[in-house]
Amino acid sequence: MKDSMESHTSHIKFWRKRNKPELTLDDITIVDRKMLNRAVGAAALGNAMEWFDFGVYSFLAVTIGHVFFPSGSASAQLIATFATFAAAFLIRPLGGLVFGPLGDKIGRQKVLAFTMIMMAIGTFSIGLIPSYSSIGIAAPILLLVARLVQGFSTGGEYGGAATFIAEYSTDKRRGFMGSWLEFGTLGGYLLGAGLVTGLTAFITPQQLLDWGWRIPFYIAAPLGLFGLYIRLKLEETPAFQKHMEKQEQIEDNKPRQTLFEMLRKYWRPMLQCIGLVLLFNVSNYMLTSYMPSYLTSVLGLSELSGLMLIMVVMFIMMPMTLLLGFWNDRLGRKPVLLAGAVGLIVLSIPALMLIGQGGIVGVFCGLMLLGVLHTFFSGTMPSALPALFTTNTRYSALAIGFNISVSLFGGTTPLITSWLVSETGSVMVPAYYLMGAALIGAITVFTLKETARKPLIGSAPAVENKEEAKKLLKKIRLRKKKREDEDASLSNNTPTQ
């Protein structure tokens, strides 16, 4: 408690300057525990919905290649499938440009409700598209359109969900509460992968090719409706409500900050966001999107074996993500992120060597090593990224920075890695790719300020109850009085000229 109070006071200077000269009990946000739990659940559910689709698409990549692209080499079909997968990421920044500013203008909750239903429609539509053999070139075109709808909606999803949880959480537990967002990611991915694995195990390959692959995409409709219902029941975040109350006091004729002005003013945290997301998402998509096909197409494992191994790794990663969320609240965001980046630099080659042996035990150990390292990022990023920006620009800046990085580096990871493996013939390409991303990420981490157990920039401290608020306020006043006494003492001891 003592360390937590001291970290609050060290960060409160910015808040006091920007808002009020003196902090009062009314300024401190007391978080409603039930509303916080609902907010975390609703945000995590949306992320689960997004990654349910990614899990299904990644695990069915080979089948989708056969259904939507003309017959040819297996490598060409796989690359075409991943190209369609990557195309959705190219439009994500546009979604961020649209939904991010909307989230800062009309509220996080409204935008997140809209992105939820849009994602569900895009995913459900994929299951309705006829095959290439039925309608020819129209099939891959319609698949691309559906993926673009998904990508556009997803452009406003992660930044909004991370912002929503961060602004609802208390300062002491923001890391742990944020880690539930990635718990939802893994849960959604595992659900999608589990469905594909079940289909692979219980129906014939021909049945999977004919109709079985469509079933997981149909499930997106009821999932989306349930998620929409949950999100519509939420209230706006306390931080955004207070921000809007202050905005109402500003003169109506004061011009609103333009996107260009925001990017010019916050270029440094924007670059930091891009660097962190590069590290986070290259690690993520390498494991969750590329590895299922790598195990099958490059190493020659059976589809069922590869799917089962990655599912077990995902399942173990879920509680580990929460554990890292718990510990980054205590150890700090920077040490945890740096440990993960250094771990990737040192251990990527050993992990790929284990996977390359082809034996079940070796493959599992290599995948597990990559999975454990990824939890250092998945448990920390949802709280580290929103803390880079102020309340009035948080949704916009995070959505834009996150999606630019994902589009350029994360979503293209399966495509680029597949192409490099095909061109070079080296099965170690994924390791080198991970090491490069980790090096950039480590450099970025060194430029960060520690934000664990501190209020978000531009927001008041957030605590669990009134007693904690009173203790925090007392601590702040005692430190202020001590500083004033020290200043007075220095002034009295200064010799006159």
Side-chain angles (χ1 to χ4, degrees), residues 150-399:
Q150 290 176 320
F152 186 77
S153 63
T154 304
E157 175 61 33
Y158 189 90
T163 294
F164 203 76
I165 293 179
E167 291 183 349
Y168 250 114
S169 299
T170 61
D171 298 332
K172 290 194 305 180
R173 304 183 69 214
R174 186 167 290 116
F176 176 68
M177 302 311 293
S179 66
W180 283 97
L181 185 61
E182 289 301 316
F183 185 90
T185 292
L186 293 168
Y189 189 93
L190 196 58
L191 177 60
L195 279 172
V196 175
T197 303
L199 288 169
T200 304
F202 292 107
I203 65 176
T204 66
Q206 188 60 45
Q207 288 174 325
L208 182 66
L209 188 64
D210 290 342
W211 53 266
W213 68 270
R214 299 180 185 275
I215 294 174
F217 292 103
Y218 292 154
I219 295 175
L223 280 178
L225 290 174
F226 177 69
L228 178 64
Y229 172 79
I230 296 296
R231 286 189 172 182
L232 288 175
K233 293 291 183 179
L234 292 174
E235 295 180 7
E236 192 51 79
T237 68
F240 186 77
Q241 288 182 27
K242 290 187 176 183
H243 167 67
M244 292 306 293
E245 289 171 3
K246 293 171 189 173
Q247 288 296 108
E248 291 175 359
Q249 300 171 7
I250 298 176
E251 301 175 48
D252 293 336
N253 61 357
K254 183 175 180 178
R256 182 178 291 272
Q257 180 175 249
T258 65
L259 177 63
F260 176 78
E261 290 171 340
M262 182 194 73
L263 294 175
R264 181 171 56 83
K265 184 176 182 180
Y266 297 105
W267 64 269
R268 181 183 174 87
M270 188 72 74
L271 288 177
Q272 290 173 327
C273 177
I274 291 173
L276 291 176
V277 174
L278 184 154
L279 169 66
F280 179 30
N281 277 276
V282 168
S283 167
N284 187 8
Y285 289 107
M286 186 68 75
L287 179 65
T288 59
S289 298
Y290 178 67
M291 278 299 153
S293 298
Y294 177 82
L295 296 178
T296 303
S297 301
V298 179
L299 299 184
L301 265 68
S302 69
E303 285 188 37
L304 184 58
S305 297
L307 297 179
M308 290 299 295
L309 285 172
I310 292 182
M311 282 181 62
V312 173
V313 171
M314 297 288 108
F315 185 77
I316 297 173
M317 286 172 63
M318 291 177 72
M320 290 194 65
T321 293
L322 299 181
L323 183 63
L324 267 296
F326 174 86
W327 279 109
N328 78 64
D329 277 329
R330 284 150 181 78
L331 301 176
R333 321 285 191 229
K334 290 183 65 173
V336 174
L337 290 173
L338 190 59
V342 172
L344 271 185
I345 293 172
V346 175
L347 298 174
S348 288
I349 290 178
L352 263 293
M353 290 177 68
L354 285 169
I355 294 172
Q357 291 178 0
I360 295 297
V361 175
V363 171
F364 175 76
C365 290
L367 292 174
M368 195 67 248
L369 189 55
L370 294 179
V372 168
L373 290 172
H374 180 68
T375 60
F376 282 73
F377 314 132
S378 62
T380 308
M381 290 296 183
S383 54
L385 294 174
L388 294 172
F389 306 105
T390 59
T391 304
N392 63 317
T393 61
R394 184 167 295 124
Y395 200 149
S396 301
L398 181 52

